[in-house]
Each structure stands twice: as structure tokens, then as C-alpha cells.
Amino acid sequence: MGSPCHFALFDLQPSFRLDLEQLAVRYRELARNVHPDRFADASEREQRLALEHSASLNEAYRTLKHAPSRARYLLALRGDELPLEVTVQDPDFLMQQMHWREELEDLQDSADLAGVAVFKRRLKVAQDELNESFAVCWDAPQRRTEAERLMRRMQFLDKLSHEVRQLEERLDD
Amino acid sequence: MALLQIAEPGQSPQPHQRRLAVGIDLGTTNSLVAAVRSGLSETLADADGQVILPSAVRYHADRVEVGETARVAASGDPLNTVLSVKRLMGRGVEDVKQLGEQLPYRFVDGESHMPFIDTVQGPKSPVEVSADILKTLRQRAEASLGGELVGAVITVPAYFDEAQRQATKDAARLAGLSVLRLLNEPTAAAVAYGLDQQAEGVVAIYDLGGGTFDISILRLTGGVFEVLATGGDSALGGDDFDHAIAGWMIEQAGLSADLDPGAQRSLLQAACMAKEALTVNTSVDLSHGAWHGLLSREQFDALIEPMVQRSLKSCRRAVRDAGVGLEEIEAVVMVGGSTRVPRVRQAVAELFGREPLTDIDPDQVVAIGAAIQADTLAGNKRGEGEELLLLDVIPLSLGLETMGGLMEKVIPRNTTIPVARAQDFTTYKDGQTAMMIHVLQGERELISDCRSLARFELRGIPPMVAGAAKIRVTFQVDADGLLSVAARELASGVEASIQVKPSYGLTDGEIARMLRDSFQNAGDDKAARVLREQQVDAQRLLEAVEAALLADGERLLEAGERLAIEAQMQQLRELMEGSDGLAIEQQTKRLTQVTDAFAARRLDATVKAALAGRSLNEIEE
């Protein structure tokens, strides 16, 4: 079985703008139909098929509901070569990255939980803005290269938000 | 017999006997069994009206005693009485040493790495001890429901790793129970509350039992329970509160900490009673030997505060993992006897900013939820829209050892299951023809901090320069949370795979011996049992195919295909009248084969129909 396009699995057109609420509803509806629990009584083959369907559905949902992975998937669908790690030619953003990181280190040194909360809110705003820019860019075919650059930025902010969570965990100790 | 059975839409082709299935909460301190009767899920009592079965097993030379009498006898016969065996499930000898500063058993080595407890009946593995508890519950259920069980849903802490889950399944097998599903305890609790109260939104399940702590964050939407995150501590529970009190008593009474097993037991029992008394009273009198003392609730609260804080820390982490804010959590469900401790309730209320739910007995809520799920899985369908679906997650990350003794995560924790994921690796030496695949579980970077689940080797890689071979390793986790791993070199197609058999599971030899023993002890006739199992399997398949034909036969099968299936069904029905188990088994396989293509078509049709946002019935019209 080849793997069908994640969007097609949900009967959606490939697009960055996605009604997440609707996606969740669809996901639950589909999951309900293919989850192995529905086949507890069925033949072995049916159980195996259900397992496979369910696993690919979960994978598709995970990819689409998360903005950075959705952006990356869209670019990959279009056939762009997208190695995970590249040298990013984006000097403005590199500067900004450095600032973010320095701030995070300071927060760690001062064990400032309230400061982390503020940092998180700012990060969230930046992520929302970036998502919006990507969406605009994605709708305009002539701005392709830009789309990839924005996706890289999204990935970075995503990584940063993971680091913030790890920091929260360390400060919680 | 008529080949075609006619039934009204929505009805079973034959008046369907209700299939008996139970939910079992196999707990550290207490175990329970529950079933759905006349639409209501309730716990089942023994002949004396007791619902709770203490998870205590005492071995006599000629018999096994399970429950309250065994628990009471524990201080008199500590070596032959096993308490809190759940803490030993799926653990190696080394783990147990780390855990159990206060375990009064004599351990002996077995064939596997599992610790065996030396009793008057010979060495007993934790799996056998658990099986004895399960057997007692099975008998109780069969007596109470008046028939043989189709199967059981057994609950496990969400934090249980592969080894502990597998050990639980082994125990069920030994007890003659067919496991419909291993269900995470917090999820079971949510099932109990969700259906009774039609909850929607994000909820937290705080489950502090005798030996384990679990926190789960779930989203409930229209009968779908989506686990967003789980966390916890598999070595934190009410037993630790007892140990804290016992430690305090030892200190106050100036006793040596090196007590004999009997004294340890009676000290722990006194501590446990004191803990329970402190739920309602503000202080309690304690005595041990010549020593008398008074323990106030404030002192008790202070003793357990570090443990309470540990649990809250797990809560905060799970909430972060779930990607929700504390304020978004609309309900907190309390599970487990230890949540009766006032300080625990208070601390949880403070963290979440709301009073936790305690309407359903915290000792029974898990079994009640498990029974609801068991009833659904056994094929006793609920009405449209009431059907339950649990979307569970894996509690710990799964990964592989890579260069430098590092763990590379393949599936991160809290990923929804079932899941399949592949990762590509390459060779690091010229001409390398084999590769060791080391499967790990855990959150830490260094493999020495993770749990080793399995190792296997992929051989026969064609010699190439380093980095040229492409080896794809696929992890697949099923709905029970059990893992299988396969490796494949893409150019040559050589493959190797493993169903992860945790290192602390039982060896096949041990399982065979135990099954033999259990048959002998039960006076069971093995052949008859095997035949019965084959008949049950055959019947299940027949019912499934009948239902499938009724629903989709017309639409998805050519006339010839349908005739072929029906001929095989008829043959199976005839064989089932007889006693040739082998023939039944073979015919069951044959029927499975002829229905394979039909099964695949049905699943595809279901998916398409769901996509179109309509049910199958609507399409037919």
C-alpha cells in the first residue's frame, strides 16, 4: 500500500490555512472507523489492516495539526528537496535567533520562572506572525523561495519552544 | 441449515447471547473485578459481599490463599505471603534491589532474569503470583455472572513500560483469561466518569494508588477519549506513606532499622491503619512493643510532603506535554485509595485551582471504567453515538542506540497509538555486513540511563563503503502499547525483525512450565480446554463473517465470491459439532483466507464513507 497524501486522507486540498477544529473532528471520525478496537472481534487480516490504517492516520494528523511540520510537508509535496539541517542564508533571522537564545540563557541563570512565562508569550506571538506570513506567501506562487525560508524560521522557533519547555522542567526541579 | 440468514437491519443475524466480559483492576494493594449488567457497570462482590480483593497471596504446601485472610496472615507468615507483587512485575533482580529496601522475601534466580520468590510451594515468579489473584477474580466473575468469560480488559498504570505490560499479559494467560485489551488506569477512570457525566473538555486524572502514581491529561469529545499526555512515577504510592510513618515510628521508638520480616510487617500494618485513621481524625495513637506515641495530621502531612510534591511535579510536566494551560483543565478526577488523604486532595486542588472530583469511589472507578470498555470490545454494541473510542499514547519514548552510546528517539513519548514510524541508518565501516539493533525506552540521552528492551542483529548486508548502505528500521506499536521492530537493508532487501520480548519477561520454557502447573493444579483437562478455545475462536469468526456479509455482502462481493465464503462457513459449522480440534483450527484458517479480500474491501469502504462524512447505511440508500 503506497502512502496517500496526508491531506487527501482527510479529504482536504493541500493548503497551509487549515481549520484545526475541523481537522480534529475529521480525525476523530476517521479514527473511530479504523481503530483496532473496532476490530477486536474481526479476522487477523482485518486487524492488521486496521492497525496500518490507524497508524498512518495518526501520522497524518500529527503532521498536519502542527504548523511547522505542516509547512514542511507542503513544501515536500511540491517536490522541494528539504534536508533537515542546512546552512541558513538568513542573516536577519540569525541575529534574532542569537538574541532569543541569549535571553533564554539569562533566564536560566537567574532561574526566573515569571520571566520564562513572558518569554513564552512573546514566542507564541512570533510564531503566530510567522504562520500568517507563511500562509500569505504560500498563496502566492512567485514567492516560493521565501516560503522555504519561513518554514526554516518556523522550525527554529519550534525548537526554541521545546528548549523553553526543557528549561521549565529544569527550573521545576 | 439455511445459507442465508435474514434479519432486520440493525439486528444481529441470530438472537445474540450477551458476551460476558469483565474489567479487572489489578492493583498493588487491592484488586477488583467489574462487569456491565443491565446497562450499568458495577463491581462484583465475592460470596461474603466483599468487593475489594486485597492483592495478597499466601502459599501453603497444598493450596493457595488469596485476599483478606492472606493479607492478615502476612505478618505471621511473611516469607510465604506476597503483598504488593505489582511492584515486582516485569522487574529484574537488580531493579528489585533498588526498589525494595523493605521487601521481606527470599529471592531465588530463575531461567530468566526475573526474581523468583522462594515459598513453601517452591519458587514463584511475580507473574504467577499475579495470575493467582486474577484466577480468584475470574472465578468470582464466572460465579457471579453465571457463565464463561469471553475475555477481560485489564488495567495497567499508564507509566508501565513494555516489560511490565508483557508481564501482566503473561499473568492473564496463566490465569486462563483472554486479554481483550490492556487499558491505562487513568483512561479507565475517565471512561467511568465520561459516560456517567457526559463530560466534554480537557480533564486531568490524578491516580495515586498503593504503589504507583499516574497523571493523565485527556480530551473528551463526543465519546472519543484522546490522551494528550501521561506521566507519573512507577515507584510512588500510598505504600510509601506507610513506609514514611513506619520510618518515623522506628526513629521515635529508637528501634534498629534492621528488623526481622515479621516485625517489619506488623510495623507497616500499624502505619497503614494510622494513615487511614488520619483521613478523618486529626491525630492517632500508635504503639509498637513497649513504645507509645501520638502522630498528628500535621506531622503526617510533613512526612509525606516530599512525595506529594513529587506527584505535583509530574502533573506540571504532563500539563506542559499536553500543550495546554493549567487553567484549561475543566475537571480533575481522583483515583486510587491514597487520594483519600486530605493533604493530597488539598495539594491537587491548589495546583489545578479547583476541587477535584471524588463522586465515584476512588478504589472502584478504574474497574468500573474497564468493564465498560470490556463490554464494548466483547462486541456488545452500544447505541449509535454512545460508542466509545480510546486514543491512547505511549508513555515513554522508544528509540535506538546510535554511535557513542546515545539514544536516538524514533517515537517520542505521548505519541498517539497505534503508530508506525521508520528511521534510516547507515553503516559506519567499509564492508560492514551486519548491524546490531538495540531497542531502548526512556527519556534520557545516554543509553545507560534508558531501559534496554531488546537487541537483534541484521545480517547479510552486502559489503559496501561506509555510509552507502541504507538501513530502514521500522517501529510499530499496537493499540495495547506493545512494540515490534523490523530492520531492512533497502538495496538488498535483507530483513530482520523482532517482537519485543522484554529482557525481564518470562522465558518460553518458564511459561510452558507454569501453564502445565496451572492445568494440573486446576485439575483441568488440557485437551478439552484447547478444543473449547478452538470452538470459541471458530464461533467468533463465524459471527464476524456473518455480520460482515449481512452489512456489506451485497455491495462488495461478486455472487461467486459470496458462495465460496458461505461454503467454507458451512463446513466450519459442521466441524464445530465434532471434537476434532485440529480440523476446526484448519478450517478456521481456511475461512480466514477466503474472507481476506472481503475484509480489505470493507475497511477501504469504511474509510471512504467516513471521508464522505456519511455512514455506510446512507450510501446504500
Side-chain angles (χ1 to χ4, degrees):
Chain A
M1 187 179 67
S3 44
C5 159
H6 291 341
F7 287 97
L9 208 50
F10 292 94
D11 202 24
L12 293 167
Q13 290 301 317
S15 159
F16 182 75
R17 291 186 203 273
L18 212 53
D19 180 345
L20 289 179
E21 203 48 51
Q22 192 202 346
L23 182 74
V25 170
R26 274 273 162 82
Y27 166 69
R28 283 191 289 267
E29 208 176 323
L30 288 169
R32 204 184 253 292
N33 282 287
V34 296
H35 195 275
D37 276 0
R38 294 240 345 201
F39 300 88
D41 247 4
S43 70
E44 234 168 82
R45 181 178 158 79
E46 243 171 322
Q47 289 183 354
R48 195 166 48 75
L49 284 170
L51 180 70
E52 284 167 9
H53 265 87
S54 233
S56 49
L57 179 66
N58 286 336
E59 187 65 24
Y61 182 50
R62 195 190 58 91
T63 307
L64 296 191
K65 76 173 167 187
H66 193 53
S69 57
R70 183 165 73 245
R72 185 180 170 76
Y73 183 70
L74 277 170
L75 288 163
L77 267 189
R78 208 176 49 184
D80 297 2
E81 275 293 324
L82 292 170
L84 255 178
E85 308 281 341
V86 289
T87 320
V88 183
Q89 304 292 334
D90 192 354
D92 296 348
F93 191 61
L94 279 174
M95 279 308 287
Q96 203 195 334
Q97 279 188 35
M98 275 167 54
H99 286 306
W100 285 105
R101 281 200 191 286
E102 278 165 14
E103 260 186 82
L104 201 60
E105 275 166 30
D106 290 345
L107 286 169
Q108 167 155 15
D109 294 341
S110 56
D112 179 3
L113 265 174
V116 174
V118 174
F119 187 86
K120 260 169 75 175
R121 276 198 295 277
R122 274 175 42 217
L123 184 56
K124 179 79 175 56
V125 171
Q127 283 178 308
D128 289 346
E129 282 171 8
L130 200 47
N131 290 350
E132 184 50 34
S133 315
F134 184 92
V136 169
C137 195
W138 182 254
D139 294 339
Q142 68 278 13
R143 295 172 65 186
R144 276 183 151 207
T145 20
E146 209 178 329
E148 188 183 334
R149 201 176 71 215
L150 290 172
M151 186 276 288
R152 299 270 171 216
R153 290 184 175 190
M154 287 161 87
Q155 277 188 334
F156 169 77
L157 290 189
D158 191 40
K159 235 162 111 185
L160 194 65
S161 70
H162 278 288
E163 282 165 32
V164 174
R165 257 179 45 200
Q166 281 167 354
L167 174 61
E168 277 183 311
E169 247 156 64
R170 279 196 302 272
L171 293 182
D172 204 7
D173 276 328
Chain B
M1 197 186 288
L3 276 181
L4 277 171
Q5 292 177 322
I6 297 168
E8 292 294 316
Q11 275 186 349
S12 319
Q14 54 201 19
H16 206 88
Q17 206 195 330
R18 194 164 182 84
R19 301 161 68 103
L20 302 177
V22 294
I24 291 179
D25 176 3
L26 184 60
T28 308
T29 321
N30 295 313
S31 297
L32 295 97
V33 58
V36 173
R37 284 199 281 199
S38 348
L40 260 187
S41 180
E42 54 187 12
T43 46
L44 305 176
D46 66 8
D48 300 326
Q50 292 300 315
V51 163
I52 285 174
L53 179 75
S55 304
V57 182
R58 182 184 183 192
Y59 290 97
H60 300 267
D62 57 341
R63 66 193 173 93
V64 182
E65 186 183 352
V66 179
E68 183 59 21
T69 53
R71 189 184 68 81
V72 173
S75 45
D77 187 13
L79 295 178
N80 295 310
T81 310
V82 187
L83 301 179
S84 299
V85 68
K86 191 174 178 179
R87 295 190 130 181
L88 306 178
M89 289 289 272
R91 298 291 190 158
V93 182
E94 288 306 310
D95 294 330
V96 169
K97 273 186 200 147
Q98 274 181 15
L99 267 183
E101 63 282 7
Q102 313 191 43
L103 292 169
Y105 314 117
R106 283 192 307 253
F107 289 106
V108 290
D109 291 335
E111 244 173 81
S112 50
H113 297 285
M114 190 179 266
F116 281 68
I117 299 162
D118 196 18
T119 73
V120 62
Q121 254 189 41
K124 292 283 174 187
S125 74
V127 169
E128 284 171 284
V129 179
S130 298
D132 283 321
I133 299 169
L134 289 172
K135 252 182 237 169
T136 307
L137 293 172
R138 187 188 113 203
Q139 285 156 3
R140 177 195 292 187
E142 286 176 350
S144 171
L145 300 171
E148 204 165 319
L149 302 182
V150 174
V153 167
I154 301 179
T155 59
V156 290
Y159 224 61
F160 255 23
D161 62 25
E162 293 276 325
Q164 292 164 308
R165 281 165 202 268
Q166 191 63 54
T168 307
K169 273 200 149 176
D170 289 345
R173 195 170 143 202
L174 274 182
L177 277 170
S178 143
V179 180
L180 294 171
R181 178 88 130 77
L182 294 180
L183 185 60
N184 289 336
E185 286 161 8
T187 316
V191 171
Y193 269 100
L195 277 193
D196 296 348
Q197 310 185 347
Q198 306 294 324
E200 297 242 324
V202 183
V203 302
I205 319 289
Y206 181 101
D207 178 355
L208 190 60
T212 51
F213 169 67
D214 280 292
I215 175 73
S216 296
I217 313 297
L218 316 184
R219 174 172 282 132
L220 313 187
T221 329
V224 179
F225 291 72
E226 202 178 337
V227 182
L228 300 178
T230 70
D233 194 328
S234 56
L236 172 67
D239 289 358
D240 297 303
F241 296 178
D242 299 349
H243 285 302
I245 297 178
W248 179 83
M249 285 167 73
I250 289 173
E251 197 187 292
Q252 295 290 311
L255 299 170
S256 128
D258 195 23
L259 296 169
D260 68 81
Q264 266 186 44
R265 265 292 149 63
S266 64
L267 204 59
L268 282 176
Q269 273 177 12
C272 180
M273 280 160 64
K275 173 186 72 182
E276 284 169 15
L278 286 172
T279 352
V280 278
N281 303 326
T282 51
S283 68
V284 62
D285 287 316
L286 279 166
S287 64
H288 183 77
W291 172 82
H292 292 276
L294 185 82
L295 178 64
S296 71
R297 192 188 277 169
E298 288 74 39
Q299 279 167 309
F300 172 60
D301 288 353
L303 284 174
I304 62 169
E305 194 57 22
M307 295 163 231
V308 173
Q309 287 305 325
R310 246 165 85 196
S311 80
L312 296 188
K313 196 179 138 193
S314 295
C315 291
R316 289 192 290 268
R317 172 157 135 165
V319 171
R320 277 194 296 269
D321 276 359
V324 296
L326 276 166
E327 70 289 347
E328 283 175 68
I329 291 168
E330 287 166 25
V332 184
V333 174
M334 294 298 248
V335 183
S338 308
T339 59
R340 293 202 174 90
V341 173
R343 172 64 198 141
V344 171
R345 289 191 176 184
Q346 185 197 4
V348 171
E350 280 164 11
L351 177 69
F352 290 99
R354 64 178 62 245
E355 280 307 311
L357 293 175
T358 49
D359 312 8
I360 304 179
D361 184 327
D363 283 319
Q364 299 190 13
V365 61
V366 167
I368 286 172
I372 295 173
Q373 180 67 359
D375 194 52
T376 311
L377 290 182
N380 299 317
K381 291 276 183 286
R382 314 178 153 265
E384 198 63 41
E386 278 179 58
E387 230 172 272
L388 263 178
L389 181 67
L390 305 178
L391 299 171
D392 240 324
V393 299
I394 55 163
L396 297 165
S397 302
L398 295 165
L400 290 169
E401 173 175 350
T402 59
M403 295 282 285
L406 293 179
M407 146 97 154
E408 162 110 3
K409 286 178 188 167
V410 178
I411 308 181
R413 75 163 186 261
N414 290 324
T415 300
T416 308
I417 52 175
V419 59
R421 201 162 293 167
Q423 197 127 323
D424 291 344
F425 293 86
T426 189
T427 46
Y428 63 94
K429 266 197 247 159
D430 286 344
Q432 187 179 342
T433 59
M435 187 179 220
M436 176 61 85
I437 313 284
H438 185 193
V439 185
L440 299 154
Q441 183 169 42
E443 305 313 315
R444 309 280 293 276
E445 291 225 316
L446 288 178
I447 63 155
S448 50
D449 295 327
C450 293
R451 180 167 193 120
S452 167
L453 291 176
R455 286 171 197 271
F456 66 102
E457 206 171 10
L458 178 68
R459 292 168 181 278
I461 302 170
M464 288 180 244
V465 292
K470 200 169 174 193
I471 290 136
R472 178 157 297 169
V473 181
T474 310
F475 278 51
Q476 182 175 284
V477 182
D478 70 13
D480 282 327
L482 293 172
L483 167 72
S484 42
V485 180
R488 183 184 156 90
E489 200 285 306
L490 294 181
S492 61
V494 294
E495 281 183 299
S497 68
I498 192 164
Q499 168 95 49
V500 173
K501 258 272 176 190
S503 0
Y504 301 130
L506 295 166
T507 67
D508 285 344
E510 281 166 346
I511 291 195
R513 176 186 62 75
M514 290 172 193
L515 278 173
R516 233 174 14 246
D517 288 355
S518 74
F519 286 135
Q520 278 162 6
N521 289 345
D524 226 321
D525 179 349
K526 190 173 177 186
R529 185 171 192 99
V530 169
L531 174 64
R532 206 160 61 230
E533 274 170 15
Q534 280 154 347
Q535 284 169 333
V536 169
D537 284 350
Q539 185 61 35
R540 272 176 98 151
L541 179 63
L542 278 173
E543 283 173 16
V545 176
E546 270 164 14
L549 283 178
L550 188 74
D552 298 320
E554 194 84 358
R555 199 160 53 91
L556 299 175
L557 287 175
E558 305 278 331
E561 291 172 323
R562 181 163 188 150
L563 280 176
I565 291 173
E566 278 163 352
Q568 299 293 343
M569 287 171 76
Q570 184 54 25
Q571 218 171 330
L572 182 56
R573 283 198 199 96
E574 279 161 19
L575 283 168
M576 276 174 62
E577 307 288 324
S579 59
D580 185 348
L582 191 64
I584 295 175
E585 195 184 343
Q586 282 170 348
Q587 184 60 26
T588 305
K589 278 208 189 106
R590 222 167 287 140
L591 178 57
T592 309
Q593 281 161 11
V594 298
T595 52
D596 263 5
F598 183 35
R601 267 178 245 167
R602 288 193 77 210
L603 202 69
D604 283 344
T606 312
V607 173
K608 285 199 192 98
L611 277 180
R614 297 183 296 171
S615 78
L616 283 174
N617 297 339
E618 288 168 332
I619 288 176
E620 271 167 353
E621 278 160 16

